[in-house]
Amino acid sequence: MKTNFFQKIIKRPRLIVQLLFLAVTNGYLYGFATGRIYTGPTKALCVPGLNCYSCPGALGSCPIGSLQAVLASRNYRFSFYVVGFLMLFGSVFGRFICGWLCPFGLVQDLLYRIPIPAPFKKWISKRKNLPGHRILVWAKYLILVGFVVILPLIAVDIIGQGSPWFCKYICPSGTLGAGIPLLLTNEPLRQAAGFLFQWKFAILVFLLILSVLIYRPFCKYICPLGAVYSLFNPIALYRYQVRKDSCIKCGKCQKACGMDIRVWETPNNPECIRCGDCVKACPTGALQRNCLRSVNHRKC
């Protein structure tokens, strides 16, 4: 049984990379044990995925949280480092980061694998998207512009200091990775926790339950970091190409795609997280990774 287990794990390279990246970026085990946030030199560096600065095990900073901290500051209004970081990783990887490196993406992937209990299958079924999907996907861009950029800039206190609105009022990754572990290990924090934590905990629970039924709802409809990386998908160095001479438009790529993309039409769709399931499902090998030549070439 052990052999079969390891064989199944080896056949899932994306899962291995997700777990390794989670372990590396949240490897400060002393923080989880004591409820203390790591403040060493690596904390000044951003990590590509949505990984909360306040997580006790986090060795780096979330780029969205870092961007808000600068925008909300009364002393600074722009961070060349964070913007440059996002542009660099976006232009090279696009939403590959969402599919392979983001800790909260891993959480959603694992939850979606949970089967629906037999007694409930008559009333509940798994779906790729929520009703109104084509409109709802734009919500993450509104959250990016409104909660990450505009509100930290304009909603300031008497001394000109703003707040990290997305981190403070929405981010479920921060609640799961930082809020809950800190409360579990810190009695004064538990006593001080009020409506704000209850609100964010409710958002987290709702999204975790929804993730069992819908594939990656947070990534599709809410995540501002995914919105940033999605802008780079069509031009990223890591990309997909369709060999038109081999594609038979059978639709198997879309059927395998958790993001429900018509891959043969838009292989570098902004919603694509580069999971690779479409490439595996293609019966003719028409879908290829890292093929930067023209799609009309017979070979890439």
Side-chain angles (χ1 to χ4, degrees), residues 9-31:
I9 293 295
I10 292 173
K11 290 180 180 179
R12 299 183 183 276
R14 186 163 73 98
L15 177 60
I16 295 174
V17 172
Q18 287 175 302
L19 291 171
L20 287 176
F21 195 78
L22 175 65
V24 170
T25 55
N26 294 276
Y28 188 60
L29 300 181
Y30 180 76

Side-chain angles (χ1 to χ4, degrees), residues 10-282:
I10 292 173
K11 290 180 180 179
R12 299 183 183 276
R14 186 163 73 98
L15 177 60
I16 295 174
V17 172
Q18 287 175 302
L19 291 171
L20 287 176
F21 195 78
L22 175 65
V24 170
T25 55
N26 294 276
Y28 188 60
L29 300 181
Y30 180 76
F32 284 116
T34 61
R36 296 182 179 180
I37 299 173
Y38 176 74
T39 57
T42 61
K43 212 54 178 288
L45 304 176
C46 289
V47 295
L50 199 71
N51 199 68
C52 187
Y53 177 96
S54 298
C55 173
L59 297 173
S61 298
C62 171
I64 291 297
S66 300
L67 180 61
Q68 288 181 100
V70 175
L71 293 176
S73 171
R74 65 189 180 94
N75 298 318
Y76 305 98
R77 282 294 179 263
F78 189 80
S79 173
F80 289 97
Y81 166 69
V82 179
V83 174
F85 177 91
L86 291 171
M87 291 180 66
L88 174 62
F89 277 86
S91 61
V92 175
F93 298 106
R95 292 197 74 178
F96 171 91
I97 294 165
C98 304
W100 290 73
L101 303 181
C102 182
F104 202 69
L106 171 61
V107 171
Q108 293 173 91
D109 282 345
L110 295 176
L111 288 172
Y112 193 69
R113 293 181 182 276
I114 297 175
I116 303 296
F120 299 101
K121 285 186 176 181
K122 292 182 179 180
W123 302 280
I124 301 175
S125 61
K126 289 182 179 289
R127 301 179 58 178
K128 290 183 180 181
N129 305 319
L130 287 173
H133 168 76
R134 292 185 179 181
I135 296 175
L136 290 176
V137 292
W138 292 97
K140 59 181 175 287
Y141 299 100
L142 295 177
I143 290 173
L144 171 64
V145 174
F147 282 83
V148 176
V149 178
I150 294 179
L151 284 174
L153 281 172
I154 66 173
V156 297
D157 58 22
I158 193 171
I159 62 171
Q161 186 77 27
S163 296
W165 282 72
F166 175 76
C167 296
K168 188 174 181 179
Y169 296 103
I170 297 178
C171 186
S173 180
T175 306
L176 180 63
I180 293 176
L182 289 174
L183 288 181
L184 290 175
T185 55
N186 195 312
E187 176 63 28
L189 279 180
R190 287 199 295 273
Q191 295 178 356
F195 174 76
L196 182 57
F197 177 77
Q198 295 171 3
W199 164 254
K200 291 192 64 180
F201 185 76
I203 292 176
L204 172 64
V205 172
F206 173 75
L207 283 171
L208 293 181
I209 294 174
L210 192 62
S211 296
V212 179
L213 306 174
I214 305 293
Y215 185 74
R216 286 195 175 217
F218 178 75
C219 299
K220 288 178 178 176
Y221 309 120
I222 299 175
C223 183
L225 186 58
V228 172
Y229 289 140
S230 73
L231 301 176
F232 294 92
N233 254 13
I235 61 171
L237 292 180
Y238 186 87
R239 59 197 306 187
Y240 290 165
Q241 292 283 12
V242 178
R243 292 175 56 182
K244 299 295 185 181
D245 59 337
S246 301
C247 179
I248 58 175
K249 299 181 180 179
C250 61
K252 290 185 178 180
C253 52
Q254 183 180 9
K255 186 176 181 181
C257 176
M259 306 301 281
D260 198 27
I261 298 168
R262 295 168 67 89
V263 187
W264 70 92
E265 293 180 353
T266 55
N268 297 297
N269 188 287
E271 298 303 310
C272 175
I273 60 171
R274 306 295 195 235
C275 67
D277 289 345
C278 59
V279 177
K280 295 177 184 177
C282 182

